[in-house]
Amino acid sequence: MIQLGPSGHIDSFTRDHLPPVQEWPEIDLAGFDYPEWLNVGVELTDRMVERGLGDRIALVGNGRARTYKELSDWTNRLAHALVEDYGIKPGNRVLIRSANNPAMVACWLAATKAGAVVVNSMPMLRVKELAQIVDKAEITHALCDSRLMDELVTTAKESAHLKTVVSFDGTANHDAELDRAALTKSVTFQAARTGRDDVALLGFTSGSTGMPKATMHFHRDLLIIADGYAKEVLGVTPDDIFVGSPPLAFTFGLGGLAVFPLRFGASAVLLENASPPNMIEIIQRHRATICFTAPTAYRVMLRAMDEGADLSSLRAAVSAGETLPGPVWEEWRDKTGKPLLDGIGATEMLHIFISNRLNDSLPACTGRPVSGYRARIVDENGDELPRGELGHLAVIGPTGCRYLSDPRQAEYVRDGWNLTGDTFWQDEDDRFHFAARSDDIILSAGYNIAGPDVEAALLAHPDVIECAVIGAPDEARGQIVQAHVVLAAGVEGDLVMVERLQSHVKSLIAPYKYPRRVIFCTELPKTQTGKIQRFRLKE
């Protein structure tokens, strides 16, 4: 029976809307011991100053560097303003709308110190999407980069819940309403006494269709991902400098670009436009040591190295959010002497739970469970499958899926296991290998074909820059493998090229997997995080 610790929330909305206990996944907290009362905002700022790290750089962005002491003072001032001027009470939901910059991190930490439940959101969301989030979480307050106010102001006008929208300055000038309110406040703040089992963060899932799902994460969960994955796999020290492309609005980005560096006294360099060229420039200028981005960006970095870019400062390059093709892993290892760290995470699980290690890594392999997690491959009935067989990935660990008032909880969690919606197989050495999202398996003439296998084969051809493989309807075979291919500059996308690519694929993997249809295009549709949107190709 799950026993939750005490709550410091005056507004009990999130605890009241946790899933029924019988629908929870099994939570294994062995090795993750935290005090009953815990505020993660304090742990990542004031606590670091107490440890003597106050003069070290915490955040860099928009032309300014801020030390841990400055970040602690800044967030305490902001927290005073949120409580005293805007009436935020522990447990209130607060939405933050911003691109990746230090001010967004400061607002998140300040709202967390005030005891709020934070919902980070992306700049690209429009009124309809914002309204769905506001209604689902019954959000009362929003903090918004002053450059992005319009959509949120419109949302508030039409909302039964959202009554207060406050602007902050994302540019580092501290010239907006919230900054001015905070200016005269004390640099010390008595943070809300929140429980380790109080919800600190609502993560809305990306890529889901229909009504958005909100995943509920406790204060302890935000420390677990750092004290597990970041400590074990990345071995973070205060000398590390993080850089990456995922939005802070996604739990992958918030972990990799805020929680992980701040937990260990390291630095994060934040980019509002984290295009591959910008990232390459930042890595070189700041001598970044840890990078989080998608495989497409690593491909661009490999080309940049050919042209003289010096990315040798990177000691750990993490790839997630999209399948890491074997050829990209091999080329990165050959050029840098270090493996790309493939891993799989989920918004429901908060962050990466299976990963390669720097000393234990293979191409086209996701690796082994992170400390505290266990995983297995199961069939439709939840029974474990033999090694080598394709099935559903099921996971148990110290974090797990808790949707905010959502019937889909019963789909994600079965018999205590989290079912991620991914098709995997496990080898004889207990390593896990990704096959496809479960809805991306192509069924062609009785064969199960994993699109990523075909993509990896295509990417091994020197003329292929990018590709995405989907199943296209076919009368005779049910589905056929259809490849959308971006060719290198100056290469002709003609019938001869189609045949060349088909023969190439047949030479590398089982011939029945070859793409029966090849469509050449100038670019592939992608999300802001660089994930290829295969559903748009299917449309």
Side-chain angles (χ1 to χ4, degrees), residues 227-508:
D227 296 344
Y229 171 80
K231 186 176 182 181
E232 180 204 352
V233 177
L234 301 179
V236 184
T237 76
D239 295 325
D240 279 311
I241 299 166
F242 285 71
V243 68
S245 63
L248 291 162
F250 292 160
T251 58
F252 179 52
L254 189 72
L257 298 175
V259 178
F260 297 170
L262 297 179
R263 179 64 169 163
F264 299 104
S267 307
V269 182
L270 300 174
L271 285 167
E272 292 193 352
N273 174 15
S275 65
N278 287 356
M279 294 242 298
I280 290 161
E281 194 265 320
I282 285 287
I283 290 166
Q284 293 182 109
R285 180 161 19 123
H286 292 275
R287 304 298 293 159
T289 60
I290 298 176
C291 180
F292 282 82
T293 192
T296 42
Y298 286 119
R299 287 179 72 81
V300 176
M301 289 184 198
L302 286 165
R303 302 288 79 80
M305 284 187 228
D306 291 339
E307 290 159 22
D310 177 11
L311 306 183
S312 60
S313 61
L314 287 179
R315 66 171 193 82
V318 180
S319 172
E322 182 74 23
T323 317
L324 174 63
V328 180
W329 184 96
E330 285 166 345
E331 190 180 349
W332 186 271
R333 182 203 53 196
D334 293 347
K335 283 203 167 87
T336 67
K338 301 164 196 141
L340 273 172
L341 292 177
D342 198 6
I344 181 168
T347 310
E348 287 83 357
M349 305 296 291
L350 190 55
H351 217 271
I352 292 171
F353 51 84
I354 295 177
S355 177
N356 277 304
R357 311 301 198 270
L358 287 166
N359 60 356
D360 179 12
S361 183
L362 293 174
C365 174
T366 312
R368 308 178 193 272
V370 172
S371 288
Y373 293 89
R374 58 189 195 273
R376 62 184 194 176
I377 309 300
V378 300
D379 63 15
E380 296 296 334
N381 301 318
D383 296 322
E384 188 165 8
L385 289 166
R387 296 289 189 268
E389 282 196 29
L390 288 181
H392 302 291
L393 179 65
V395 190
I396 283 175
T399 62
C401 178
R402 292 178 293 258
Y403 287 137
L404 169 70
S405 298
D406 202 306
R408 291 170 287 190
Q409 176 75 17
E411 296 168 20
Y412 202 94
V413 177
R414 295 199 204 152
D415 300 322
W417 291 83
N418 299 275
L419 291 175
T420 66
D422 299 285
T423 299
F424 265 76
W425 61 277
Q426 193 176 4
D427 65 25
E428 295 298 336
D429 294 322
D430 293 335
R431 291 188 181 90
F432 287 84
H433 301 256
F434 177 79
R437 287 291 297 168
S438 293
D439 49 11
D440 282 339
I441 290 284
I442 301 163
L443 299 171
S444 183
Y447 289 110
N448 280 357
I449 301 169
D453 283 356
V454 188
E455 290 171 2
L458 285 165
L459 287 167
H461 193 284
D463 291 332
V464 175
I465 297 296
E466 280 189 312
C467 67
V469 165
I470 61 167
D474 180 75
E475 243 177 71
R477 311 180 73 85
Q479 285 182 309
I480 58 167
V481 176
Q482 178 173 296
H484 295 253
V485 176
V486 179
L487 292 171
V491 178
E492 188 70 34
D494 53 17
L495 280 172
V496 174
M497 194 65 206
V498 169
E499 289 170 4
R500 232 179 245 156
L501 292 178
Q502 289 172 329
S503 300
H504 171 77
V505 170
K506 288 177 187 174
S507 74
L508 292 181

Side-chain angles (χ1 to χ4, degrees), residues 100-163:
N100 285 12
N101 55 50
M104 181 182 187
V105 176
C107 286
W108 163 61
L109 291 165
T112 303
K113 284 182 174 182
V117 178
V118 178
V119 179
N120 291 315
S121 71
M122 286 199 302
M124 65 195 301
L125 296 185
R126 298 296 173 248
V127 172
K128 179 173 180 267
E129 297 150 316
L130 288 166
Q132 286 181 331
I133 290 171
V134 166
D135 289 346
K136 178 96 181 174
E138 296 189 11
I139 290 166
T140 54
H141 294 71
L143 313 179
C144 184
D145 189 313
S146 54
R147 298 165 289 173
L148 300 165
M149 288 285 283
D150 292 354
E151 303 274 341
L152 206 46
V153 169
T154 304
T155 305
K157 280 180 187 163
E158 299 167 4
S159 173
H161 304 288
L162 182 57
K163 298 300 174 204

